[in-house]
Amino acid sequence: AEFSFTVMFHGKDVEFRAFLLAPVPMGAYSIAMVAALAEYWTFELLAVKLLPRLLSIGLLAFGAVLCFVGWACRTAALFTAQANFTHIVAIQRERSHRLVTEGIYRMCRHPGYVGWFLWSVSTQLVLGNVVCL
């Protein structure tokens, strides 16, 4: 959805950094991703189970639902704001920019951030990563 959105509404700005693949300052996202994968595979390969099976299944189900809610929230934010939503922080307000107050923006001022937060935390629940959580 994010790639399609960038191409549809910011065609002239399509460049590598618009796809959020470039490292963020201080590498925070990369560090979090490497830590999550390291935790998952370490515990998986060592067959270490920190949570009882029933709790683990419950967290997996809750995490999957929360993951979908986060994705849906962010995607709704992208397509509701359309050209007013950008991945690149603007230094100066553009003339065409307008404040979006309909759709998901009626319920939340920053649904893109809320969706991203829900998605990121819920992926740790799905993986069963109690340390990185």
Coordinates of all heavy atoms in Angstrom, one line a residue, residues 39-132:
E39 N 16.3 -12.1 18.4 CA 15.5 -12.7 19.6 C 14.7 -13.8 19.1 O 14.7 -14.9 19.7 CB 14.6 -11.6 20.2 CG 13.8 -12.3 21.4 CD 12.8 -11.3 22.0 OE1 12.9 -10.1 21.7 OE2 12.0 -11.8 22.8
Y40 N 14.0 -13.6 18.0 CA 13.1 -14.7 17.5 C 13.9 -15.9 17.2 O 13.6 -17.0 17.6 CB 12.3 -14.2 16.3 CG 11.5 -15.3 15.7 CD1 10.3 -15.7 16.3 CD2 11.9 -16.0 14.5 CE1 9.5 -16.7 15.7 CE2 11.2 -17.0 14.0 CZ 10.0 -17.4 14.6 OH 9.2 -18.4 14.1
W41 N 14.9 -15.8 16.3 CA 15.7 -16.9 15.9 C 16.5 -17.6 17.0 O 16.7 -18.8 17.0 CB 16.5 -16.6 14.6 CG 15.6 -16.5 13.4 CD1 15.3 -15.4 12.8 CD2 14.9 -17.5 12.8 NE1 14.4 -15.6 11.7 CE2 14.2 -17.0 11.7 CE3 14.8 -18.9 13.0 CZ2 13.4 -17.8 10.9 CZ3 14.0 -19.7 12.2 CH2 13.3 -19.1 11.2
T42 N 17.0 -16.8 17.9 CA 17.8 -17.4 19.0 C 16.9 -18.3 19.9 O 17.2 -19.4 20.1 CB 18.3 -16.2 19.9 OG1 19.2 -15.4 19.1 CG2 19.1 -16.8 21.1
F43 N 15.7 -17.8 20.2 CA 14.8 -18.6 21.0 C 14.2 -19.8 20.2 O 14.0 -20.8 20.8 CB 13.6 -17.7 21.6 CG 14.1 -16.8 22.7 CD1 13.8 -15.5 22.7 CD2 14.8 -17.3 23.8 CE1 14.2 -14.6 23.7 CE2 15.3 -16.5 24.8 CZ 15.0 -15.1 24.8
E44 N 14.0 -19.6 19.0 CA 13.5 -20.6 18.1 C 14.5 -21.8 17.9 O 14.1 -22.9 18.1 CB 13.1 -20.0 16.8 CG 12.2 -20.9 15.9 CD 10.9 -21.2 16.5 OE1 10.3 -20.4 17.2 OE2 10.4 -22.3 16.2
L45 N 15.7 -21.4 17.7 CA 16.8 -22.4 17.4 C 17.1 -23.1 18.7 O 17.5 -24.3 18.7 CB 18.0 -21.8 16.8 CG 17.8 -21.3 15.3 CD1 19.0 -20.5 14.9 CD2 17.4 -22.4 14.4
L46 N 17.1 -22.4 19.9 CA 17.4 -23.0 21.1 C 16.2 -23.7 21.8 O 16.3 -24.3 22.8 CB 18.0 -22.0 22.1 CG 19.3 -21.3 21.7 CD1 19.7 -20.3 22.7 CD2 20.4 -22.4 21.6
A47 N 15.1 -23.6 21.1 CA 13.8 -24.2 21.6 C 13.5 -23.7 23.0 O 13.0 -24.5 23.8 CB 13.9 -25.7 21.5
V48 N 13.7 -22.5 23.2 CA 13.4 -21.8 24.5 C 12.0 -21.2 24.4 O 11.8 -20.4 23.5 CB 14.4 -20.8 24.9 CG1 14.0 -20.0 26.2 CG2 15.8 -21.4 25.0
K49 N 11.2 -21.6 25.3 CA 9.8 -21.1 25.3 C 9.6 -20.3 26.6 O 9.6 -20.9 27.7 CB 8.7 -22.2 25.2 CG 8.9 -23.0 23.9 CD 8.7 -22.2 22.7 CE 8.9 -23.0 21.4 NZ 9.2 -22.2 20.3
L50 N 9.5 -19.0 26.6 CA 9.4 -18.2 27.8 C 7.9 -18.1 28.2 O 7.7 -17.7 29.4 CB 9.9 -16.8 27.5 CG 11.4 -16.7 27.2 CD1 11.8 -15.3 26.9 CD2 12.2 -17.3 28.3
L51 N 7.0 -18.3 27.3 CA 5.6 -18.2 27.7 C 4.9 -19.6 27.6 O 5.2 -20.4 26.7 CB 4.9 -17.2 26.7 CG 5.4 -15.8 26.7 CD1 4.7 -15.0 25.5 CD2 5.1 -15.1 28.0
P52 N 3.9 -19.8 28.5 CA 3.1 -21.0 28.3 C 2.4 -21.1 27.0 O 2.1 -20.0 26.4 CB 2.1 -20.9 29.5 CG 2.6 -19.9 30.4 CD 3.5 -19.0 29.6
R53 N 2.2 -22.2 26.4 CA 1.6 -22.4 25.1 C 0.3 -21.6 24.9 O 0.1 -21.0 23.9 CB 1.4 -23.9 24.8 CG 0.9 -24.1 23.4 CD 1.2 -25.5 22.9 NE 0.6 -25.9 21.7 CZ 0.9 -25.4 20.5 NH1 1.8 -24.5 20.4 NH2 0.2 -25.8 19.4
L54 N -0.7 -21.8 25.9 CA -2.0 -21.1 25.8 C -1.8 -19.6 25.7 O -2.4 -18.9 24.9 CB -2.9 -21.5 26.9 CG -4.3 -21.1 26.8 CD1 -5.0 -21.6 25.5 CD2 -5.1 -21.5 28.0
L55 N -0.9 -19.0 26.5 CA -0.7 -17.6 26.5 C -0.1 -17.2 25.2 O -0.4 -16.1 24.6 CB 0.2 -17.2 27.7 CG 0.5 -15.7 27.8 CD1 -0.8 -14.8 27.9 CD2 1.4 -15.4 29.0
S56 N 0.9 -18.0 24.7 CA 1.5 -17.7 23.5 C 0.6 -17.7 22.3 O 0.6 -16.8 21.4 CB 2.6 -18.8 23.2 OG 3.3 -18.6 22.0
I57 N -0.4 -18.6 22.3 CA -1.4 -18.6 21.2 C -2.3 -17.4 21.3 O -2.6 -16.8 20.3 CB -2.2 -19.9 21.2 CG1 -1.3 -21.1 20.8 CG2 -3.4 -19.9 20.3 CD1 -1.9 -22.5 21.1
G58 N -2.7 -17.0 22.5 CA -3.5 -15.9 22.7 C -2.8 -14.6 22.3 O -3.4 -13.7 21.6
L59 N -1.5 -14.4 22.6 CA -0.8 -13.3 22.2 C -0.6 -13.2 20.7 O -0.6 -12.2 20.0 CB 0.6 -13.2 22.8 CG 0.6 -12.8 24.3 CD1 2.0 -12.9 24.9 CD2 0.0 -11.4 24.5
L60 N -0.4 -14.4 20.1 CA -0.3 -14.5 18.6 C -1.6 -14.0 17.9 O -1.6 -13.2 17.0 CB 0.0 -15.9 18.1 CG -0.1 -16.2 16.6 CD1 1.1 -15.5 15.9 CD2 -0.1 -17.6 16.3
A61 N -2.7 -14.5 18.4 CA -4.0 -14.0 17.9 C -4.3 -12.6 18.1 O -4.7 -11.8 17.2 CB -5.2 -14.9 18.5
F62 N -4.0 -12.1 19.3 CA -4.2 -10.7 19.6 C -3.3 -9.8 18.8 O -3.7 -8.8 18.2 CB -4.0 -10.4 21.1 CG -4.1 -9.0 21.5 CD1 -5.3 -8.3 21.5 CD2 -3.0 -8.2 21.9 CE1 -5.4 -7.0 21.8 CE2 -3.1 -6.9 22.2 CZ -4.3 -6.3 22.2
G63 N -2.0 -10.3 18.6 CA -1.0 -9.5 17.8 C -1.4 -9.5 16.4 O -1.3 -8.5 15.7
A64 N -2.0 -10.6 15.8 CA -2.4 -10.6 14.4 C -3.5 -9.6 14.2 O -3.5 -8.9 13.2 CB -2.8 -12.0 14.0
V65 N -4.5 -9.6 15.1 CA -5.6 -8.6 15.0 C -5.1 -7.2 15.1 O -5.4 -6.3 14.3 CB -6.7 -8.9 16.0 CG1 -7.7 -7.8 16.1 CG2 -7.4 -10.2 15.8
L66 N -4.2 -6.9 16.1 CA -3.7 -5.6 16.3 C -2.8 -5.2 15.1 O -2.9 -4.0 14.6 CB -2.9 -5.6 17.5 CG -2.6 -4.2 18.2 CD1 -3.9 -3.5 18.5 CD2 -1.8 -4.4 19.4
C67 N -2.1 -6.1 14.5 CA -1.3 -5.9 13.3 C -2.2 -5.4 12.1 O -1.9 -4.4 11.5 CB -0.5 -7.1 12.9 SG 0.8 -6.9 11.7
F68 N -3.3 -6.1 11.9 CA -4.2 -5.7 10.9 C -4.8 -4.4 11.1 O -5.0 -3.5 10.2 CB -5.3 -6.8 10.7 CG -6.3 -6.4 9.7 CD1 -6.0 -6.5 8.3 CD2 -7.5 -5.9 10.0 CE1 -6.9 -6.2 7.3 CE2 -8.5 -5.5 9.1 CZ -8.2 -5.7 7.7
V69 N -5.2 -4.1 12.4 CA -5.8 -2.8 12.7 C -4.8 -1.7 12.5 O -5.1 -0.6 11.9 CB -6.3 -2.8 14.2 CG1 -6.6 -1.4 14.7 CG2 -7.5 -3.7 14.4
G70 N -3.5 -1.9 12.8 CA -2.5 -0.9 12.6 C -2.3 -0.6 11.1 O -2.2 0.5 10.7
W71 N -2.2 -1.7 10.4 CA -2.1 -1.6 8.9 C -3.3 -0.8 8.3 O -3.1 0.1 7.5 CB -1.9 -3.0 8.3 CG -2.0 -2.9 6.8 CD1 -0.9 -2.6 5.9 CD2 -3.1 -3.1 6.0 NE1 -1.4 -2.7 4.6 CE2 -2.7 -3.0 4.6 CE3 -4.4 -3.5 6.2 CZ2 -3.6 -3.1 3.6 CZ3 -5.3 -3.6 5.2 CH2 -4.9 -3.4 3.9
A72 N -4.5 -1.2 8.7 CA -5.7 -0.6 8.2 C -5.7 0.9 8.5 O -6.1 1.7 7.7 CB -6.9 -1.3 8.7
C73 N -5.3 1.2 9.7 CA -5.3 2.6 10.2 C -4.4 3.5 9.4 O -4.7 4.5 8.9 CB -5.0 2.7 11.7 SG -5.1 4.3 12.5
R74 N -3.1 2.9 9.2 CA -2.1 3.7 8.4 C -2.6 3.8 6.9 O -2.4 4.8 6.3 CB -0.8 3.0 8.5 CG 0.3 3.8 7.8 CD 1.6 3.4 8.3 NE 2.7 4.1 7.5 CZ 3.2 5.3 7.7 NH1 2.8 6.0 8.8 NH2 4.1 5.8 6.9
T75 N -3.1 2.7 6.4 CA -3.5 2.7 5.0 C -4.7 3.7 4.8 O -4.7 4.5 3.8 CB -3.9 1.3 4.5 OG1 -2.7 0.5 4.7 CG2 -4.3 1.3 3.1
A76 N -5.6 3.7 5.7 CA -6.7 4.7 5.7 C -6.2 6.1 5.7 O -6.7 7.0 5.0 CB -7.7 4.4 6.8
A77 N -5.2 6.3 6.6 CA -4.6 7.7 6.6 C -4.0 8.1 5.3 O -4.2 9.2 4.9 CB -3.6 7.7 7.8
L78 N -3.2 7.2 4.7 CA -2.6 7.5 3.4 C -3.6 7.9 2.4 O -3.4 8.9 1.7 CB -1.8 6.2 2.9 CG -0.6 5.8 3.7 CD1 -0.1 4.4 3.3 CD2 0.5 6.8 3.5
F79 N -4.6 7.0 2.2 CA -5.5 7.3 1.1 C -6.6 8.3 1.4 O -7.2 8.8 0.5 CB -6.1 5.9 0.6 CG -5.1 5.1 -0.1 CD1 -4.4 4.1 0.6 CD2 -4.8 5.4 -1.4 CE1 -3.4 3.4 -0.1 CE2 -3.8 4.6 -2.1 CZ -3.1 3.6 -1.4
T80 N -6.8 8.6 2.7 CA -7.7 9.7 3.0 C -7.1 11.1 2.7 O -7.6 12.0 2.1 CB -8.2 9.7 4.5 OG1 -8.9 8.4 4.7 CG2 -9.1 10.8 4.8
A81 N -5.8 11.2 3.2 CA -5.1 12.5 3.0 C -4.6 12.6 1.6 O -4.3 13.7 1.1 CB -3.9 12.5 4.0
Q82 N -4.4 11.6 0.9 CA -3.9 11.5 -0.5 C -2.6 12.4 -0.7 O -1.6 12.1 0.0 CB -5.0 12.0 -1.5 CG -6.1 11.0 -1.5 CD -7.2 11.4 -2.4 OE1 -7.2 12.5 -3.0 NE2 -8.3 10.6 -2.5
A83 N -2.6 13.4 -1.5 CA -1.4 14.2 -1.7 C -0.9 15.0 -0.5 O 0.2 15.5 -0.5 CB -1.6 15.1 -2.9
N84 N -1.8 15.1 0.5 CA -1.4 15.8 1.7 C -0.6 15.0 2.7 O 0.0 15.5 3.6 CB -2.6 16.3 2.5 CG -3.3 17.4 1.7 OD1 -2.8 18.4 1.4 ND2 -4.6 17.1 1.3
F85 N -0.5 13.7 2.4 CA 0.3 12.8 3.2 C 1.6 12.5 2.5 O 1.6 12.1 1.3 CB -0.4 11.5 3.4 CG 0.2 10.6 4.5 CD1 -0.4 10.4 5.7 CD2 1.4 9.9 4.2 CE1 0.1 9.5 6.6 CE2 2.0 9.1 5.1 CZ 1.3 8.9 6.4
T86 N 2.7 12.7 3.1 CA 4.0 12.5 2.5 C 4.9 11.8 3.5 O 4.8 12.0 4.7 CB 4.6 13.8 1.9 OG1 5.9 13.4 1.4 CG2 4.8 14.8 3.0
H87 N 5.9 11.0 3.0 CA 6.9 10.4 3.8 C 8.0 11.3 4.1 O 8.9 11.0 5.0 CB 7.4 9.1 3.2 CG 6.3 8.1 3.0 ND1 5.7 7.9 1.8 CD2 5.8 7.2 3.9 CE1 4.8 6.9 2.0 NE2 4.8 6.5 3.3
I88 N 8.2 12.4 3.4 CA 9.3 13.3 3.6 C 8.8 14.5 4.4 O 7.8 15.1 4.0 CB 9.8 13.7 2.2 CG1 10.3 12.4 1.4 CG2 11.0 14.7 2.3 CD1 10.6 12.6 0.0
V89 N 9.6 14.8 5.4 CA 9.2 15.9 6.3 C 9.4 17.2 5.5 O 10.5 17.5 4.9 CB 10.0 15.9 7.6 CG1 9.7 17.2 8.4 CG2 9.8 14.7 8.3
A90 N 8.4 18.0 5.5 CA 8.4 19.3 4.7 C 9.0 20.4 5.6 O 8.7 20.5 6.8 CB 7.0 19.7 4.3
I91 N 9.8 21.2 5.1 CA 10.4 22.4 5.8 C 9.4 23.6 5.7 O 9.3 24.3 6.6 CB 11.8 22.7 5.2 CG1 12.7 21.5 5.2 CG2 12.4 23.9 5.9 CD1 13.0 21.0 6.5
Q92 N 8.8 23.6 4.5 CA 7.9 24.8 4.3 C 6.5 24.3 3.8 O 6.5 23.3 3.0 CB 8.5 25.7 3.2 CG 7.9 27.0 3.1 CD 8.7 27.9 2.2 OE1 9.7 27.5 1.6 NE2 8.3 29.2 2.1
R93 N 5.5 24.9 4.2 CA 4.1 24.5 3.7 C 3.9 24.8 2.3 O 4.3 25.9 1.8 CB 3.1 25.3 4.5 CG 1.7 24.9 4.2 CD 0.7 25.8 5.0 NE -0.7 25.5 4.7 CZ -1.4 26.1 3.7 NH1 -0.8 27.0 3.0 NH2 -2.6 25.7 3.5
E94 N 3.4 23.8 1.6 CA 3.1 24.0 0.1 C 1.8 24.6 0.0 O 0.9 24.4 0.8 CB 3.2 22.6 -0.6 CG 4.6 22.0 -0.6 CD 4.7 20.8 -1.5 OE1 3.9 20.7 -2.5 OE2 5.5 19.9 -1.2
R95 N 1.6 25.4 -1.1 CA 0.3 26.0 -1.4 C -0.9 25.0 -1.5 O -2.0 25.3 -1.1 CB 0.4 26.9 -2.7 CG 1.2 28.1 -2.5 CD 1.1 28.8 -3.9 NE 1.5 30.2 -3.8 CZ 0.8 31.2 -3.3 NH1 -0.4 31.0 -2.8 NH2 1.3 32.4 -3.3
S96 N -0.6 23.9 -2.1 CA -1.7 22.9 -2.3 C -2.0 22.1 -1.0 O -3.0 21.4 -1.0 CB -1.2 21.9 -3.4 OG -0.1 21.2 -3.0
H97 N -1.3 22.3 0.0 CA -1.5 21.5 1.2 C -2.8 22.0 1.9 O -3.0 23.2 2.0 CB -0.3 21.6 2.2 CG -0.4 20.7 3.3 ND1 -0.8 21.2 4.6 CD2 -0.3 19.4 3.5 CE1 -0.8 20.1 5.4 NE2 -0.5 19.0 4.8
R98 N -3.6 21.1 2.4 CA -4.8 21.4 3.2 C -4.9 20.5 4.4 O -4.4 19.4 4.4 CB -6.0 21.4 2.4 CG -6.4 20.0 1.9 CD -7.8 20.0 1.2 NE -8.1 18.6 0.8 CZ -8.7 17.7 1.6 NH1 -9.0 18.0 2.9 NH2 -9.0 16.5 1.2
L99 N -5.5 21.0 5.5 CA -5.8 20.2 6.7 C -6.9 19.2 6.4 O -8.0 19.6 6.0 CB -6.2 21.1 7.8 CG -6.4 20.4 9.2 CD1 -5.1 19.8 9.7 CD2 -6.9 21.4 10.2
V100 N -6.6 17.9 6.6 CA -7.6 16.9 6.4 C -8.3 16.6 7.7 O -7.7 16.4 8.7 CB -6.9 15.6 5.9 CG1 -7.9 14.5 5.7 CG2 -6.1 15.9 4.7
T101 N -9.6 16.7 7.6 CA -10.5 16.5 8.8 C -11.6 15.4 8.6 O -12.4 15.2 9.5 CB -11.1 17.8 9.3 OG1 -11.9 18.3 8.2 CG2 -10.0 18.8 9.7
E102 N -11.6 14.8 7.5 CA -12.6 13.8 7.2 C -12.0 12.4 7.3 O -10.8 12.2 7.5 CB -13.3 14.0 5.8 CG -12.4 13.7 4.7 CD -11.7 15.0 4.2 OE1 -11.9 16.1 4.7 OE2 -10.9 14.8 3.2
G103 N -12.9 11.4 7.2 CA -12.4 10.0 7.3 C -11.8 9.7 8.7 O -12.3 10.1 9.7
I104 N -10.8 8.9 8.6 CA -10.1 8.5 9.9 C -9.5 9.7 10.6 O -9.3 9.6 11.8 CB -9.0 7.4 9.6 CG1 -8.6 6.7 10.9 CG2 -7.9 8.0 8.8 CD1 -7.9 5.4 10.7
Y105 N -9.3 10.8 10.0 CA -8.8 12.0 10.6 C -9.8 12.6 11.5 O -9.4 13.4 12.4 CB -8.3 13.0 9.6 CG -7.0 12.5 9.0 CD1 -6.9 11.7 7.8 CD2 -5.8 12.9 9.5 CE1 -5.7 11.3 7.3 CE2 -4.6 12.5 9.0 CZ -4.6 11.7 7.9 OH -3.4 11.3 7.3
R106 N -11.1 12.2 11.5 CA -12.1 12.7 12.4 C -11.9 12.1 13.8 O -12.2 12.7 14.8 CB -13.5 12.4 11.9 CG -14.0 13.2 10.8 CD -15.4 12.8 10.5 NE -15.7 13.6 9.3 CZ -16.9 14.2 9.1 NH1 -17.8 14.1 10.0 NH2 -17.1 14.9 8.1
M107 N -11.3 10.9 13.8 CA -11.1 10.1 15.0 C -9.8 10.3 15.7 O -9.6 10.2 16.9 CB -11.3 8.6 14.8 CG -12.7 8.3 14.4 SD -12.9 6.5 14.1 CE -12.3 6.4 12.4
C108 N -8.8 10.7 14.8 CA -7.4 10.7 15.3 C -6.6 11.7 14.5 O -6.8 11.8 13.2 CB -6.8 9.3 15.1 SG -5.1 9.2 15.6
R109 N -5.8 12.6 15.1 CA -5.1 13.6 14.4 C -4.0 13.0 13.6 O -3.6 13.6 12.5 CB -4.6 14.6 15.4 CG -3.9 15.8 14.9 CD -4.8 16.7 14.1 NE -4.5 16.6 12.7 CZ -5.4 16.5 11.7 NH1 -6.7 16.7 12.0 NH2 -5.1 16.4 10.5
H110 N -3.3 12.0 14.1 CA -2.2 11.4 13.3 C -2.4 9.9 13.2 O -1.6 9.1 13.7 CB -0.9 11.7 14.1 CG -0.6 13.1 14.2 ND1 -0.2 13.9 13.1 CD2 -0.6 14.0 15.2 CE1 0.0 15.1 13.5 NE2 -0.2 15.2 14.8
P111 N -3.3 9.5 12.4 CA -3.6 8.0 12.2 C -2.5 7.3 11.6 O -2.3 6.1 11.8 CB -4.9 8.0 11.4 CG -4.9 9.3 10.7 CD -4.3 10.3 11.6
G112 N -1.7 7.9 10.8 CA -0.5 7.2 10.2 C 0.5 6.8 11.2 O 1.0 5.7 11.2
Y113 N 0.8 7.7 12.2 CA 1.7 7.3 13.3 C 1.1 6.3 14.2 O 1.7 5.4 14.7 CB 2.0 8.6 14.1 CG 2.9 9.6 13.4 CD1 2.5 10.9 13.4 CD2 4.0 9.2 12.7 CE1 3.3 11.8 12.7 CE2 4.8 10.1 12.0 CZ 4.5 11.4 12.0 OH 5.2 12.3 11.4
V114 N -0.2 6.4 14.5 CA -0.9 5.5 15.4 C -0.9 4.1 14.7 O -0.6 3.1 15.4 CB -2.4 5.9 15.7 CG1 -3.1 4.8 16.4 CG2 -2.4 7.2 16.5
G115 N -1.2 4.0 13.4 CA -1.2 2.8 12.7 C 0.2 2.1 12.7 O 0.4 0.9 12.9
W116 N 1.2 3.0 12.5 CA 2.6 2.4 12.4 C 3.0 1.9 13.8 O 3.6 0.8 13.9 CB 3.6 3.5 12.0 CG 5.0 3.1 12.0 CD1 5.9 3.5 13.0 CD2 5.7 2.2 11.1 NE1 7.1 2.9 12.7 CE2 7.0 2.1 11.6 CE3 5.3 1.5 10.0 CZ2 7.9 1.3 10.9 CZ3 6.2 0.7 9.4 CH2 7.5 0.6 9.8
F117 N 2.6 2.6 14.9 CA 3.0 2.2 16.2 C 2.3 0.9 16.5 O 2.9 -0.1 17.0 CB 2.5 3.3 17.3 CG 2.7 2.8 18.7 CD1 4.0 2.8 19.2 CD2 1.7 2.4 19.4 CE1 4.2 2.4 20.5 CE2 1.9 1.9 20.7 CZ 3.1 2.0 21.3
L118 N 1.0 0.8 16.2 CA 0.2 -0.5 16.5 C 0.8 -1.6 15.7 O 1.0 -2.7 16.3 CB -1.2 -0.3 16.1 CG -2.1 0.6 17.0 CD1 -3.5 0.7 16.4 CD2 -2.1 0.0 18.4
W119 N 1.2 -1.4 14.5 CA 1.8 -2.4 13.6 C 3.1 -2.9 14.2 O 3.4 -4.1 14.3 CB 1.9 -2.0 12.2 CG 2.5 -3.0 11.3 CD1 1.8 -4.0 10.7 CD2 3.9 -3.2 11.0 NE1 2.7 -4.8 10.0 CE2 3.9 -4.3 10.1 CE3 5.0 -2.5 11.3 CZ2 5.1 -4.8 9.6 CZ3 6.2 -3.0 10.8 CH2 6.3 -4.1 10.0
S120 N 4.0 -1.9 14.6 CA 5.3 -2.3 15.0 C 5.3 -3.1 16.3 O 6.0 -4.1 16.5 CB 6.2 -1.1 15.3 OG 5.8 0.0 14.7
V121 N 4.4 -2.7 17.3 CA 4.3 -3.4 18.6 C 3.7 -4.8 18.3 O 4.2 -5.8 18.9 CB 3.5 -2.6 19.6 CG1 3.2 -3.4 20.8 CG2 4.3 -1.3 20.0
S122 N 2.7 -4.8 17.5 CA 2.0 -6.1 17.3 C 2.8 -7.1 16.6 O 2.7 -8.3 16.8 CB 0.7 -5.9 16.6 OG 0.9 -5.4 15.3
T123 N 3.8 -6.7 15.8 CA 4.7 -7.7 15.1 C 5.5 -8.4 16.2 O 5.8 -9.6 16.0 CB 5.6 -7.1 14.1 OG1 6.3 -6.0 14.7 CG2 4.8 -6.5 12.9
Q124 N 5.8 -7.8 17.3 CA 6.6 -8.4 18.4 C 5.7 -9.4 19.1 O 6.2 -10.5 19.5 CB 7.1 -7.4 19.3 CG 8.1 -6.4 18.7 CD 9.2 -7.1 17.9 OE1 9.9 -7.9 18.4 NE2 9.3 -6.7 16.6
L125 N 4.4 -9.1 19.2 CA 3.5 -10.1 19.8 C 3.3 -11.3 18.9 O 3.3 -12.4 19.4 CB 2.1 -9.4 20.0 CG 2.0 -8.3 21.1 CD1 0.6 -7.7 21.0 CD2 2.3 -8.9 22.4
V126 N 3.2 -11.1 17.6 CA 3.1 -12.2 16.7 C 4.3 -13.1 16.7 O 4.2 -14.3 16.7 CB 2.8 -11.7 15.2 CG1 2.9 -12.8 14.2 CG2 1.4 -11.0 15.2
L127 N 5.5 -12.5 16.8 CA 6.7 -13.3 16.9 C 6.9 -13.9 18.3 O 7.8 -14.8 18.4 CB 7.9 -12.4 16.5 CG 8.0 -12.0 15.1 CD1 9.1 -11.0 14.9 CD2 8.2 -13.2 14.1
G128 N 6.2 -13.4 19.3 CA 6.4 -13.9 20.6 C 7.7 -13.4 21.3 O 8.2 -14.0 22.2
N129 N 8.1 -12.2 20.8 CA 9.3 -11.6 21.3 C 9.0 -10.8 22.6 O 8.7 -9.6 22.6 CB 9.9 -10.6 20.3 CG 10.5 -11.3 19.1 OD1 10.7 -12.6 19.2 ND2 10.9 -10.6 18.1
V130 N 9.2 -11.5 23.8 CA 8.9 -10.8 25.0 C 10.0 -9.8 25.4 O 9.8 -8.9 26.1 CB 8.6 -11.8 26.2 CG1 7.3 -12.6 25.9 CG2 9.8 -12.8 26.4
V131 N 11.2 -10.1 25.0 CA 12.3 -9.2 25.3 C 12.2 -7.9 24.5 O 12.3 -6.8 25.1 CB 13.7 -9.9 25.0 CG1 14.8 -9.0 25.3 CG2 13.8 -11.2 25.9
C132 N 12.0 -8.0 23.2 CA 12.0 -6.8 22.4 C 10.7 -6.0 22.6 O 10.6 -4.8 22.3 CB 12.1 -7.1 20.9 SG 13.8 -7.5 20.5

